[in-house]
Every structure is written in structure tokens, then in C-alpha cells.
Amino acid sequence: DTEVTQTPKHLVMGMTNKKSLKCEQHMGHRAMYWYKQKAKKPPELMFVYSYEKLSINESVPSRFSPECPNSSLLNLHLHALQPEDSALYLCASSPTQGLNVLTFGAGSRLTVL
Amino acid sequence: EDQVTQSPEALRLQEGESSSLNCSYTVSGLRGLFWYRQDPGKGPEFLFTLYSAGEEKEKERLKATLTKKESFLHITAPKPEDSATYLCAVQAEAGGSYIPTFGRGTSLIVHP
């Protein structure tokens, strides 16, 4: 299995909702990443987990809460989002947090009303 | 100040018309430069990694090269299916981490 699977593919939520994005990989990768991408912009790093521990938080607002329950799963919990948070959220993984190729999922398209 | 600059922002080619995309970088201590392809609404897909100046990699109609200041992605005789956004990412050591910094990408459209 050489894929990163993200669910849901599309999510519409109100500003008072609580929702979660999920990411799964079975490649034995020990580093997992969340990126945010707006239209016609490059992916922006949000969080990095290395061996199930939060390694990097790029000063992301607390309304985004990451979780890594095990080495195969990565969640992004969403609460009280703003319309400007609407974007494509990409999950990626790599063998380790180092000089490695990132394998990206197809993304979750989030719309905040 | 951008550390990774890609040009042009957009490129339209006729099928078979070869061209090159540029990625220039200003990071010190480059450890690796990556090229990815991204189709609309999808995640980036890995194409090449280059580690040192003078290195070249090829895959079908694509060839990536690296100098000390920039990388080129040469597309030979492109086909419509090569239409996509091409992203360049550089990795440099920063406090022990190697997080890639992405450029804004070049949007390529190849007309039949």
C-alpha cells in the first residue's frame, strides 16, 4: 500500500460546528504532516508529527487541533472555524522527519459557512 | 522574502512545443530540491529529488536539473496530459529539522 487516504473528500461546516479530518497511511512512515492550501497558492505547513509526537506547530490557531492516535492515523479536529479557513487540507507522510519524499493524500476540501 | 521562486507563474504550450520551468532558491545549506506535480483538487505527486549541483534526473518527457542557485524542469514534446501545476520544494537544515518550503508553482496548460 503506497497511499495516503484522507476522509472526507469534501466537508461543509458552520462556524459553530465541530468536525474532524482523518488521514491514514500503511507504509510504515513515522512522520505525518498537515498542510493547508488555498487556491493558486503553495501548500503551507501546519503541523508535523514524528513518531506520534507533535514535532512542529507552525503557530496554527487553537481552533485547529491535531491528534496522532497511532503511527498510521492522523486527525485534525476543527472547532469554531472562520470562513477564511476554507481551503484544501492536505495530509502527507514520509519515512521519517528528515530529507525524505512526502507522499500526499488527495486532500479534504473544507468550506466554512 | 520568498526563499523559493518559481517562474513563469503560468505557461501555455502547444502539444509538442518544448519548454522549461524555473525554480530559484536562496536558502543556505540546501539538502535537497524536490519537484512535485499537482492536478486540480488533488495532492501533489512526487516527481524528482535533486541533491547536488550538476545532478540530473529524467522521467519520460521530463528532465530536472540543478545548479547552485536554481533548478529547471525541462518538458520535451509535451502532451495535454502533462497539464498540471508543477511545484518546487527545497529542504535546508533549520535547527535540525528538514521541512520543505514550497514555491508558488507553475501552472502548465498544454493545448492539443
Side-chain angles (χ1 to χ4, degrees), chain A residues 33 35 37 40-45 48 56 88 90 97-107 109, chain B residues 31-32 34 36 38 41-46 49 51 87 91 96-100 102-105 107:
Chain A
Y33 310 73
Y35 282 86
Q37 187 177 29
K40 299 189 185 300
K41 295 290 179 64
E44 294 177 21
L45 183 66
V48 181
I56 293 177
L88 182 68
L90 294 164
Q97 183 190 323
L99 193 60
N100 288 298
V101 172
L102 298 181
T103 301
F104 283 88
R109 172 72 62 188
Chain B
R31 293 291 184 259
F34 298 76
Y36 291 84
Q38 186 173 24
K42 301 283 182 65
E45 177 185 348
F46 170 73
T49 308
Y51 294 105
L87 294 165
Q91 280 186 275
S97 70
Y98 293 86
I99 302 303
F102 283 87
R104 290 173 177 264
S107 175

Side-chain angles (χ1 to χ4, degrees), chain A residues 72-88:
Chain A
S72 299
L73 294 174
L74 184 66
N75 298 321
L76 186 62
H77 302 297
L78 314 171
H79 175 54
L81 294 192
Q82 304 296 311
E84 58 264 30
D85 297 321
S86 298
L88 182 68

Side-chain angles (χ1 to χ4, degrees), chain B residues 28 44 78 88 93 110-111:
Chain B
S28 58
C88 167
E93 185 175 3
V110 181
H111 296 285

